[in-house]
Amino acid sequence: MATTISISNQVLRERAKVLTPTVSTTLLENDSFQEINVGTDALTFTLPKITAENLGTTYTFRNIGADANNIITIAPNAVDGFNGAFSFVTGSTASVNRATGTVNKSWINTKATSKKGDWVTVKAIALTTWYIQGGQGVWVSQA
Protein backbone atom coordinates (compact mmCIF):
# COMPACT_ATOMS: atom_id res chain seq x y z
CA MET A 1 0.00 0.00 0.00
CA ALA A 2 1.49 3.31 -1.09
CA THR A 3 1.44 6.36 1.16
CA THR A 4 0.97 9.78 -0.34
CA ILE A 5 2.35 12.81 1.46
CA SER A 6 1.00 16.22 0.55
CA ILE A 7 3.36 19.16 1.06
CA SER A 8 1.99 22.68 1.16
CA ASN A 9 3.60 25.47 -0.83
CA GLN A 10 2.71 27.77 2.06
CA VAL A 11 5.40 26.61 4.44
CA LEU A 12 6.54 29.49 6.59
CA ARG A 13 10.30 29.54 6.80
CA GLU A 14 11.90 31.47 9.61
CA ARG A 15 14.87 33.46 8.40
CA ALA A 16 17.10 35.90 10.17
CA LYS A 17 17.39 39.35 8.69
CA VAL A 18 20.94 39.92 7.47
CA LEU A 19 22.54 43.35 7.78
CA THR A 20 25.84 44.55 6.31
CA PRO A 21 26.53 47.88 8.03
CA THR A 22 29.37 50.15 6.94
CA VAL A 23 29.34 52.37 10.06
CA SER A 24 29.43 51.67 13.78
CA THR A 25 25.93 50.98 15.08
CA THR A 26 23.96 50.98 18.32
CA LEU A 27 21.66 47.97 18.19
CA LEU A 28 18.14 47.98 19.59
CA GLU A 29 16.08 45.22 21.17
CA ASN A 30 13.97 44.92 18.03
CA ASP A 31 17.16 44.18 16.06
CA SER A 32 17.30 40.82 17.87
CA PHE A 33 17.91 37.66 15.82
CA GLN A 34 19.64 39.65 13.12
CA GLU A 35 22.81 38.39 11.53
CA ILE A 36 25.31 41.19 11.14
CA ASN A 37 27.89 40.71 8.38
CA VAL A 38 30.90 42.96 8.86
CA GLY A 39 33.12 43.69 5.87
CA THR A 40 34.34 47.13 6.98
CA ASP A 41 37.30 47.53 9.33
CA ALA A 42 37.10 49.05 12.83
CA LEU A 43 33.35 48.96 13.42
CA THR A 44 31.86 48.93 16.91
CA PHE A 45 28.42 47.48 17.66
CA THR A 46 26.90 48.67 20.92
CA LEU A 47 24.37 46.30 22.48
CA PRO A 48 21.27 47.48 24.35
CA LYS A 49 21.20 47.42 28.14
CA ILE A 50 19.79 44.10 29.32
CA THR A 51 16.46 44.42 31.10
CA ALA A 52 13.82 41.94 32.22
CA GLU A 53 11.85 42.84 29.09
CA ASN A 54 14.61 41.98 26.59
CA LEU A 55 16.05 38.76 28.03
CA GLY A 56 16.57 36.36 25.13
CA THR A 57 17.73 39.08 22.74
CA THR A 58 20.24 37.45 20.40
CA TYR A 59 22.70 38.74 17.79
CA THR A 60 25.12 36.98 15.45
CA PHE A 61 28.17 38.84 14.12
CA ARG A 62 30.14 37.49 11.15
CA ASN A 63 33.39 38.76 9.65
CA ILE A 64 33.04 38.84 5.86
CA GLY A 65 36.19 40.90 5.23
CA ALA A 66 39.52 39.64 3.99
CA ASP A 67 41.78 37.76 6.38
CA ALA A 68 43.66 40.08 8.82
CA ASN A 69 41.61 43.06 7.60
CA ASN A 70 38.79 43.61 10.12
CA ILE A 71 38.67 44.32 13.82
CA ILE A 72 35.11 43.90 15.06
CA THR A 73 34.20 45.28 18.47
CA ILE A 74 30.98 44.33 20.28
CA ALA A 75 30.41 46.71 23.17
CA PRO A 76 27.96 45.99 26.00
CA ASN A 77 26.09 48.65 27.91
CA ALA A 78 28.24 50.07 30.73
CA VAL A 79 26.52 47.80 33.32
CA ASP A 80 26.59 44.59 31.24
CA GLY A 81 29.35 42.09 30.42
CA PHE A 82 30.11 39.01 28.33
CA ASN A 83 30.43 35.54 29.79
CA GLY A 84 31.05 32.14 28.25
CA ALA A 85 33.56 30.42 26.01
CA PHE A 86 33.98 28.43 22.82
CA SER A 87 36.77 26.28 21.42
CA PHE A 88 38.28 26.61 17.97
CA VAL A 89 41.15 25.13 15.99
CA THR A 90 43.72 27.05 13.96
CA GLY A 91 45.91 24.71 11.95
CA SER A 92 46.75 21.97 14.45
CA THR A 93 46.36 24.18 17.53
CA ALA A 94 43.20 24.03 19.64
CA SER A 95 42.34 27.13 21.66
CA VAL A 96 39.55 28.49 23.82
CA ASN A 97 38.06 31.99 23.71
CA ARG A 98 36.78 32.90 27.17
CA ALA A 99 34.92 35.99 28.32
CA THR A 100 35.20 36.69 32.03
CA GLY A 101 31.96 38.55 32.70
CA THR A 102 33.68 41.84 33.52
CA VAL A 103 31.19 44.64 32.98
CA ASN A 104 31.76 47.39 30.42
CA LYS A 105 34.41 45.40 28.51
CA SER A 106 34.01 44.75 24.79
CA TRP A 107 34.31 41.40 22.99
CA ILE A 108 36.70 41.81 20.04
CA ASN A 109 37.55 39.84 16.89
CA THR A 110 41.23 40.76 16.69
CA LYS A 111 42.39 42.26 13.40
CA ALA A 112 45.75 40.50 13.00
CA THR A 113 44.20 37.05 13.50
CA SER A 114 40.80 37.69 11.92
CA LYS A 115 39.65 35.35 9.17
CA LYS A 116 36.80 35.66 6.72
CA GLY A 117 33.98 33.66 8.27
CA ASP A 118 34.84 34.29 11.94
CA TRP A 119 31.59 34.64 13.88
CA VAL A 120 30.07 34.88 17.33
CA THR A 121 26.51 34.67 18.67
CA VAL A 122 25.62 36.43 21.92
CA LYS A 123 22.37 36.17 23.91
CA ALA A 124 21.02 38.13 26.88
CA ILE A 125 20.49 35.37 29.45
CA ALA A 126 20.42 37.31 32.72
CA LEU A 127 20.45 40.89 33.87
CA THR A 128 23.98 42.19 33.12
CA THR A 129 25.10 39.03 31.25
CA TRP A 130 25.48 38.53 27.50
CA TYR A 131 26.26 34.82 27.07
CA ILE A 132 28.51 33.70 24.23
CA GLN A 133 26.58 30.88 22.60
CA GLY A 134 29.19 29.92 20.04
CA GLY A 135 31.67 31.20 17.55
CA GLN A 136 34.72 30.71 15.40
CA GLY A 137 38.01 32.58 15.26
CA VAL A 138 40.04 34.55 17.75
CA TRP A 139 37.91 36.77 20.01
CA VAL A 140 39.19 38.42 23.18
CA SER A 141 37.88 40.49 26.05
CA GLN A 142 38.90 44.12 26.05
CA ALA A 143 41.89 44.72 28.34
Side-chain angles (χ1 to χ4, degrees), residues 19-27 31 36-46 61 70-73:
L19 301 175
T20 308
T22 56
V23 297
S24 293
T25 304
T26 297
L27 298 170
D31 293 326
I36 300 149
N37 288 334
V38 184
T40 303
D41 184 32
L43 296 187
T44 297
F45 298 91
T46 304
F61 299 87
N70 287 0
I71 182 171
I72 301 169
T73 302

Side-chain angles (χ1 to χ4, degrees), residues 5-15:
I5 300 173
S6 176
I7 300 175
S8 170
N9 287 331
Q10 297 179 356
V11 174
L12 177 62
R13 301 190 192 288
E14 185 177 328
R15 295 186 285 179

Side-chain angles (χ1 to χ4, degrees), residues 47-113:
L47 301 176
K49 179 181 181 207
I50 301 173
T51 64
E53 291 76 34
N54 68 5
L55 289 174
T57 299
T58 303
Y59 303 99
T60 297
F61 299 87
R62 183 177 301 105
N63 188 336
I64 62 168
D67 291 356
N69 186 66
N70 287 0
I71 182 171
I72 301 169
T73 302
I74 307 169
N77 181 277
V79 299
D80 297 333
F82 293 99
N83 213 329
F86 63 88
S87 301
F88 69 100
V89 176
T90 302
S92 61
T93 304
S95 301
V96 175
N97 293 318
R98 185 173 313 282
T100 61
T102 306
V103 298
N104 201 24
K105 296 291 183 183
S106 296
W107 187 239
I108 302 166
N109 185 210
T110 59
K111 185 172 184 169
T113 58

